[in-house]
Amino acid sequence: MSFRYRFSLPRALLLVFLLVGSGVSTGVAAAVDTATEAPSPQARITQAERALQAVRRSLDDADAPETLRTLSEQALQARRDADAAVAALAPQLEQIDARIAQLGPLDDGATEERSISRQRGALDQQRSQLDADIKRGKLLAEDARQLSDSIEKTRAQQFGEQLGRKVGSPLSPALWRQFAASLPDDLARLQGLYRQAAGGLKAAVAAHGWTAPLVGAGLALLMVFPLRLWLRRLGRRYAASERAPDGRLRRSGLAVWLLLVGTLLPGFAAMVVVASLRGISAIPPRLESVADIFVLASFVAAFYAALAASLLVPHRPSWRLLGIDDVAALHLRRFAWGAAGLTWLSALLREINRSARTSTVSTVTLDGLVALSYVALIMAALVTLARLHRRRAAAAAQAEQEAGAAADGRPPRATRSGWLVLARLGGHLTVLSALVATLLGYLNFAMFLAQQMVWVTVVVMAVALLTRFADDLSLWLFAPDSAFGRTLRLSTGVSPARMEQAGVLLSAVLRIGVVLLGIAAVVVWFGNTAALSAWADTLNTGLTIGGQTLRPSALLWALLVLLLGLGLMKVLQQWLVDTWLPRTGLDSGARNSISTVARYLGIALAVLWSLATLGIGFEKLALLASALSVGIGFGLQAITQNFVSGLILLAERPVKIGDWVKIGDQEGDIRRISVRSTEIQVGDKSTLIVPNSELITKTIRNMTMANALGRVQIQFSMPLGADVGRVRQLLLELFAGHEKVLDEPAPSVFIDSISGGLVALNCFAYVSSPRAVYGVRSDLLFALLQATAEQGIALVTPTDVRVLHADPQADDPVQ
């Protein structure tokens, strides 16, 4: 049995498109189901059970990869039906349990009314039936999953055996003798297939005329040439105009537009041609698969060519996304066209060969020619990359020589591009392996290796383009100066920094999605389509964690509810701060306490609302809180203590915003009180962050609590013979003359002590705030010194003691 690799590029791309559009197909299927009467969940379980039994019966006679793939998809569909039936029966079981709970428990030996007894019996019977149906559906879903896994293992084993199968080597004369011997029969089969196609077309034209085929061909030509070229020029014209977005989005957006136009229009043209022929029944049954491959191969070949055109842009270097020169861009684009044509032609020829049922040796020969063609194409591309590397090295060497970088005699260093080095290394390994495998007769492995090299290169380039476009689009969409960004800022008041963060987050999500899609496109090559479908089903139906099923739709709704709740909280807090609280007559500290408590209460309510959207009840939150209490008791004790202390500060308000406090050797104004810490601005304008527990558990001095006054204290000494009464009157006049010294309480001057020939005076005055004490005290001291100097009042001068040492050598006669 010859190797027929059914997961060709058209089928791989189609499967990727199906994975991407699973959400759309689900919505369409739901719309169709609503239009017709859907079967009951029990009927769906029965149908799934019958389908699974049919798969088991067909599995014994299935050996072809296509048949195994179909059976695996049927098993997965049975699993989907069973899971859907179980999901539909679960709410009914909950309703029955709720009704039974309303009746209450029945004690032993107790009797109840006949009507209630009948209701209890009917409910118990319904519950038993629903519970049995749910268990049967779950068991059926598990059996379907195991059967699908078994089929996939069988397919993987067959795939490995086909890759390792050895056929005749192209260097073997026996292979060519067999090919020459079977060539007449194979040509006869191909001629018979051709006669079927020509006869079918002739009969269809005789019955329906040439109108439909000619119209289809005309529409196809219109889409491929005038419309496609006009849309390409339209995209370039818009990208070069002032209406296009600024920045990198111009180039990446144009590249994506060219990719879409270049891929879809040729593919749609092929679809139109095939549809026009099918409309008049011009395609024989044996050629139906050839028509399908023609459409899919057209899409894939167009995708290859459009991707190369959008990335290389040979005649417009300023729009080129890859860092290569014009010569390399022209050559690589030709190779891309060659890869597209070879892919289209090889897929079509191999499907025609299968439909014609040619001999095994002809199939082997065709596979060998396809493999060698791919190897030759890869070798030509490697030659172009090598020339590009040499040109870059020469340009770098010349630049360094001109700049004098190589003046010390060392050879210049050539710049290397990472992706070029990897591409050349992977290409050489692929070519070497494919050539050795072809010469040894492993044509299946050689063809797979060559096609895989081309396909992986295409996927990597497409992922690189789409990730760059996703990043540029996200950053431009949430840029503060964009149209959407300005509208968002004016409507919600979001800061520019927050908008940029949202753009980066959206870019990360989109890029991760594109990378996952690329990985899926590569995995499809190995025939693991059923596994990908199972993963998609798991994401669609939800992931069960700890008895709770998390669905992507539920997560999305919970995120939207959380954002909505936080937005409402912010609007309410803004209304409190700007509108309602200023009209209450409360001080700034009380207003801050109310707005802070409202903010954290709104956050808690938004989180609870989002958790309720996920289906997480308060009883589960209680379990979570009890589990967290252990961690709080050990590692989060300090954080919890500060949090509770913050709530106490906001409620009792022993200190408030604007108070002047002294804690330890630091003192300053309280600027902000949060639930974890308090910010105090000290005299040098720095900020002291104090945990709230320090303000609750330790002694602090609130200098401004209950409108406390500031006291100015002046202490100095005078000689005993000075006129103390005159000095007292002078001090009182100085106090009365300062504008910030209060008249009530009145300033006072006291004699503190008389000792050692000195009189110690202690003076007090009061100001309106403790913050003014230091400045007023300095002003009074300046005025005191000036007044005593003018009136000749002597203050105590510190004694200046000097110790003089006599020079013993001053009277030396020898000197």
Side-chain angles (χ1 to χ4, degrees):
M1 178 179 175
S2 63
F3 172 74
R4 298 182 183 273
Y5 188 63
R6 299 300 298 160
F7 285 93
S8 58
L9 284 178
R11 293 185 179 273
L13 189 61
L14 176 62
L15 289 170
V16 174
F17 288 160
L18 290 177
L19 288 175
V20 176
S22 60
V24 178
S25 61
T26 303
V28 174
V32 174
D33 289 339
T34 56
T36 59
E37 184 178 356
S40 63
Q42 291 83 356
R44 296 188 66 177
I45 292 176
T46 303
Q47 293 175 2
E49 188 174 8
R50 292 175 181 173
L52 195 61
Q53 292 175 359
V55 171
R56 293 184 186 277
R57 288 193 300 267
S58 302
L59 188 61
D60 297 334
D61 299 330
D63 55 354
E66 296 83 2
T67 306
L68 291 175
R69 182 180 69 250
T70 303
L71 294 177
S72 178
E73 293 173 355
Q74 292 177 359
L76 286 177
Q77 185 60 41
R79 179 189 175 186
R80 297 189 193 101
D81 294 339
D83 289 335
V86 170
L89 291 175
Q92 299 180 19
L93 183 62
E94 294 177 357
Q95 293 176 3
I96 295 296
D97 290 337
R99 294 176 63 184
I100 293 176
Q102 291 296 326
L103 295 178
L106 181 62
D107 299 333
D108 296 337
T111 60
E112 56 184 0
E113 296 182 2
R114 182 177 301 176
S115 59
I116 298 178
S117 178
R118 286 198 301 267
Q119 292 180 7
R120 186 185 298 274
L123 291 175
D124 289 339
Q125 184 178 2
Q126 293 177 12
R127 190 190 185 284
S128 300
Q129 185 63 38
L130 285 175
D131 185 64
D133 292 336
I134 290 176
K135 291 179 179 178
R136 185 163 64 99
K138 291 182 178 179
L139 181 60
L140 181 62
E142 181 63 23
D143 291 342
R145 185 192 65 81
Q146 294 179 0
L147 181 60
S148 177
D149 293 341
S150 176
I151 295 174
E152 286 300 318
K153 291 180 181 178
T154 304
R155 290 181 61 202
Q157 183 178 0
Q158 288 186 359
F159 180 72
E161 292 176 356
Q162 289 174 350
L163 285 181
R165 183 175 293 115
K166 184 178 181 181
V167 296
S169 172
L171 301 180
S172 174
L175 175 65
W176 296 106
R177 285 195 298 267
Q178 294 177 5
F179 175 73
S182 60
L183 183 58
D185 294 336
D186 293 335
L187 291 178
R189 292 188 179 96
L190 291 175
Q191 289 176 359
L193 188 65
Y194 172 75
R195 285 193 296 269
Q196 288 186 16
L201 179 60
K202 184 177 180 180
V205 169
H208 302 281
W210 286 95
T211 303
L214 292 179
V215 170
L219 290 177
L221 292 176
L222 181 64
M223 285 190 291
V224 171
F225 293 104
L227 183 59
R228 182 176 63 89
L229 298 178
W230 178 76
L231 290 176
R232 288 167 59 90
R233 287 196 299 268
L234 181 64
R236 293 193 183 99
R237 190 180 304 114
Y238 176 78
S241 64
E242 297 180 355
R243 296 177 299 170
D246 296 331
R248 302 184 308 176
L249 187 58
R250 286 175 178 260
R251 293 199 303 168
S252 59
L254 177 61
V256 172
W257 172 256
L258 296 178
L259 178 61
L260 291 176
V261 171
T263 302
L264 297 179
L265 289 181
F268 287 155
M271 290 179 63
V272 168
V273 171
V274 173
S276 64
L277 294 177
R278 281 178 174 165
I280 61 175
S281 301
I283 302 178
R286 288 184 62 183
L287 291 175
E288 285 289 342
S289 60
V290 177
D292 294 335
I293 291 298
F294 170 75
V295 174
L296 294 177
S298 299
F299 269 109
V300 175
F303 178 73
Y304 281 14
L307 181 62
S310 60
L311 290 175
L312 299 176
V313 195
H315 303 291
R316 293 178 176 85
S318 59
W319 294 96
R320 188 176 303 144
L321 296 178
L322 298 180
I324 57 178
D325 53 26
D326 295 340
V327 178
L330 287 171
H331 287 289
L332 289 178
R333 186 181 181 184
R334 294 171 186 170
F335 297 142
W337 277 96
L342 180 60
T343 300
W344 183 87
L345 184 61
S346 62
L348 202 60
L349 289 178
R350 294 176 66 243
E351 188 62 28
I352 292 174
N353 183 53
R354 190 189 69 83
S355 300
R357 299 182 179 90
T358 58
S359 62
T360 303
V361 66
S362 298
T363 303
V364 170
T365 305
L366 179 61
D367 292 342
L369 291 177
V370 171
L372 291 177
S373 300
Y374 273 109
V375 169
L377 187 65
I378 295 173
M379 292 177 62
L382 291 177
V383 172
T384 299
L385 293 178
R387 292 176 179 175
L388 174 62
H389 175 69
R390 286 195 295 268
R391 285 196 300 270
R392 283 189 171 184
Q398 184 178 0
E400 290 186 1
Q401 290 177 359
E402 292 177 355
D408 55 353
R410 291 182 298 178
R413 293 175 299 176
T415 58
R416 290 180 177 269
S417 178
W419 72 271
L420 283 177
V421 174
L422 290 177
R424 292 179 60 194
L425 178 60
H428 283 94
L429 293 177
T430 301
V431 168
L432 180 61
S433 302
L435 285 177
V436 172
T438 302
L439 295 178
L440 293 179
Y442 295 98
L443 296 182
N444 297 337
F445 178 74
M447 186 173 60
F448 169 78
L449 196 61
Q451 289 181 339
Q452 182 74 356
M453 178 65 186
V454 175
W455 176 243
V456 169
T457 303
V458 170
V459 170
V460 169
M461 293 293 101
V463 168
L465 172 60
L466 294 179
T467 51
R468 181 166 182 175
F469 172 71
D471 183 58
D472 297 343
L473 179 62
S474 302
L475 297 181
W476 170 82
L477 189 63
F478 285 93
D481 55 347
S482 65
F484 179 78
R486 288 193 298 268
T487 303
L488 188 62
R489 283 194 298 115
L490 293 176
S491 59
T492 62
V494 180
S495 63
R498 295 289 186 184
M499 293 186 59
E500 292 178 355
Q501 293 174 6
V504 173
L505 182 61
L506 178 61
S507 172
V509 172
L510 293 179
R511 295 171 74 178
I512 290 174
V514 171
V515 171
L516 292 178
L517 183 62
I519 294 175
V522 174
V523 171
V524 164
W525 261 92
F526 297 92
N528 295 329
T529 55
L532 294 177
S533 300
W535 297 343
D537 291 339
T538 301
L539 292 178
N540 188 25
T541 58
L543 183 63
T544 302
I545 300 177
Q548 183 66 33
T549 302
L550 299 179
R551 295 180 177 85
S553 58
L555 291 175
L556 180 60
W557 278 113
L559 179 60
L560 292 178
V561 166
L562 179 61
L563 294 178
L564 179 60
L566 293 178
L568 292 176
M569 177 271 301
K570 187 174 182 180
V571 171
L572 177 60
Q573 187 187 22
Q574 197 72 23
W575 177 78
L576 285 174
V577 174
D578 298 338
T579 304
W580 186 71
L581 290 177
R583 291 177 172 83
T584 58
L586 299 175
D587 56 17
S588 60
R591 295 199 298 268
N592 175 76
S593 300
I594 294 175
S595 63
T596 303
V597 171
R599 176 171 176 265
Y600 284 101
L601 183 61
I603 293 176
L605 291 177
V607 172
L608 291 177
W609 189 12
S610 63
L611 292 178
T613 305
L614 282 175
I616 301 177
F618 290 99
E619 66 280 358
K620 296 181 180 180
L621 294 179
L623 294 176
L624 179 63
S626 62
L628 290 178
S629 62
V630 179
I632 291 174
F634 290 95
L636 304 178
Q637 183 177 4
I639 297 177
T640 306
Q641 184 180 8
N642 290 325
F643 179 79
V644 176
S645 300
L647 296 179
I648 295 175
L649 289 177
L650 293 174
E652 295 185 357
R653 300 176 63 214
V655 293
K656 58 184 182 297
I657 294 178
D659 285 352
W660 180 277
V661 297
K662 183 175 183 180
I663 177 170
D665 58 348
Q666 299 288 338
E667 58 180 297
D669 289 310
I670 294 180
R671 295 302 184 190
R672 182 174 179 269
I673 299 177
S674 64
V675 294
R676 191 196 65 84
S677 62
T678 298
E679 298 178 3
I680 301 176
Q681 185 178 359
V682 296
D684 59 355
K685 303 301 180 182
S686 62
T687 301
L688 181 68
I689 300 177
V690 182
N692 289 331
S693 59
E694 297 288 324
L695 301 178
I696 295 296
T697 59
K698 293 186 177 181
T699 302
I700 63 172
R701 183 180 180 184
N702 193 334
M703 310 289 291
T704 57
M705 188 174 183
N707 297 323
L709 301 178
R711 189 180 71 166
V712 179
Q713 182 180 11
I714 298 178
Q715 293 176 315
F716 64 94
S717 300
M718 298 180 58
L720 186 60
D723 189 353
V724 180
R726 183 181 175 189
V727 173
R728 181 176 181 273
Q729 185 64 31
L730 176 62
L731 288 170
L732 293 176
E733 291 177 355
L734 291 177
F735 289 151
H738 200 284
E739 59 181 3
K740 292 186 178 181
V741 176
L742 301 178
D743 296 334
E744 186 64 31
S748 57
V749 179
F750 301 97
I751 295 178
D752 188 65
S753 64
I754 301 176
S755 63
L758 298 176
V759 179
L761 298 180
N762 196 359
C763 313
F764 298 97
Y766 295 90
V767 293
S768 60
S769 172
R771 297 180 179 86
V773 170
Y774 194 82
V776 173
R777 182 172 180 272
S778 177
D779 295 340
L780 292 175
L781 287 177
F782 275 113
L784 176 63
L785 292 176
Q786 183 178 358
T788 54
E790 291 176 354
Q791 298 184 17
I793 299 176
L795 300 178
V796 175
T797 302
T799 304
D800 188 9
V801 180
R802 297 185 179 183
V803 180
L804 302 177
H805 298 275
D807 188 359
Q809 299 179 357
D811 299 331
D812 192 353
V814 180
Q815 297 285 335

